[in-house]
Amino acid sequence: MTEKLFKDTVIPLNRKLLGFAKRFMSDIDEAKDVVQEIYIKLWNMRDELDQYNSVEALAMRMTRNLCLDKIKLKKTVPLNNTLIKEEADNNGWMKEKEEEINIAVKRAKNIIETLDEPQRTIMQLRDMQGYDYEEIAQILNMNVNTIRVSLSRARKKVKEELINKFYNHGSEKNKSSVREIL
């Protein structure tokens, strides 16, 4: 791979790689360090990158593995509590409804953080990062059907925990509004 092709193919992955690394690491600087290491590794293997179907999938897999290695070395919690702020929808919703949705999103993300691997990573890649099943299979080196089953189970677990922990105290109206959000 030439320097120009490397710049055109690999460098634009920065935002995706950094966002993915931030989900694992507890500090933005650590996430940046991981991405920098991935760029160095990819640059050192630039002559071999043509052999891969998706350089992006390779970079994501390398990022995941490096993050997990660093976490194991530090023995820290894999995900931090940083939550993505959801933008308010301009459909005339009342401020209370927006706050309710934001709270539900934060709670769901906290529950996702407690999922076991690989369910947590699969859910992050699919539902938060927008990868399709085949890309996730390449990144995690797993079967597509296994990805689908794990994602289904992860979603079900998150939904059940949300309802049981936070929304199982009221009327059917409350429960149905949670189901609409999910």
Side-chain angles (χ1 to χ4, degrees), residues 6-181:
F6 185 86
K7 285 180 181 178
D8 293 344
T9 306
V10 179
I11 302 301
L13 299 176
N14 187 53
R15 288 181 62 198
K16 282 187 180 182
L17 295 177
L18 184 59
F20 189 51
K22 282 195 301 190
R23 298 208 184 276
F24 285 97
M25 307 310 292
S26 59
D27 182 47
I28 183 68
D29 291 327
E30 289 178 0
K32 288 179 181 179
D33 289 343
V34 166
V35 172
Q36 185 65 35
E37 284 184 51
I38 296 304
Y39 277 130
I40 292 168
K41 288 180 181 188
L42 288 169
W43 176 254
N44 289 336
M45 61 184 289
R46 67 187 174 276
D47 295 331
E48 304 162 20
L49 292 179
D50 295 331
Q51 299 171 7
Y52 294 92
N53 291 336
S54 172
V55 174
E56 180 179 339
L58 173 67
M60 293 295 285
R61 184 182 315 153
M62 290 171 67
T63 301
R64 174 187 176 268
N65 291 342
L66 185 58
C67 287
L68 292 176
D69 288 346
K70 288 185 176 287
I71 290 166
K72 286 177 189 173
L73 287 175
K74 288 174 41 174
K75 297 187 182 197
T76 59
V77 176
L79 292 173
N80 61 19
N81 289 331
T82 2
L83 301 172
I84 299 170
K85 184 179 179 184
E86 299 294 319
E87 292 182 21
D89 192 15
N90 292 329
N91 291 336
W93 288 4
M94 297 182 340
K95 187 168 179 86
E96 291 174 17
K97 190 70 168 174
E98 290 173 14
E99 289 177 20
E100 183 181 322
I101 291 170
N102 286 334
I103 290 170
V105 168
K106 288 178 183 179
R107 288 175 174 168
K109 288 182 180 181
N110 284 334
I111 292 170
I112 291 168
E113 290 177 3
T114 66
L115 293 174
D116 293 331
E117 285 294 335
Q119 285 182 342
R120 176 179 50 230
T121 301
I122 292 169
M123 197 162 190
Q124 288 172 345
L125 288 171
R126 178 70 179 163
D127 295 337
M128 295 178 191
Q129 303 248 336
Y131 282 90
D132 64 34
Y133 293 107
E134 290 76 20
E135 291 173 320
I136 296 169
Q138 283 183 328
I139 291 168
L140 300 180
N141 197 24
M142 294 175 69
N143 181 298
V144 174
N145 289 332
T146 305
I147 301 282
R148 291 178 192 273
V149 170
S150 293
L151 181 61
S152 175
R153 289 179 181 163
R155 286 175 176 165
K156 182 178 178 181
K157 183 175 181 180
V158 169
K159 182 178 179 180
E160 287 173 354
E161 285 194 40
L162 268 176
I163 291 171
N164 291 336
K165 286 184 179 180
F166 300 108
Y167 300 102
N168 201 17
H169 53 79
S171 66
E172 280 301 313
K173 180 184 174 196
N174 287 344
K175 292 177 188 176
S176 65
S177 67
V178 171
R179 288 185 185 102
E180 290 173 15
I181 293 170

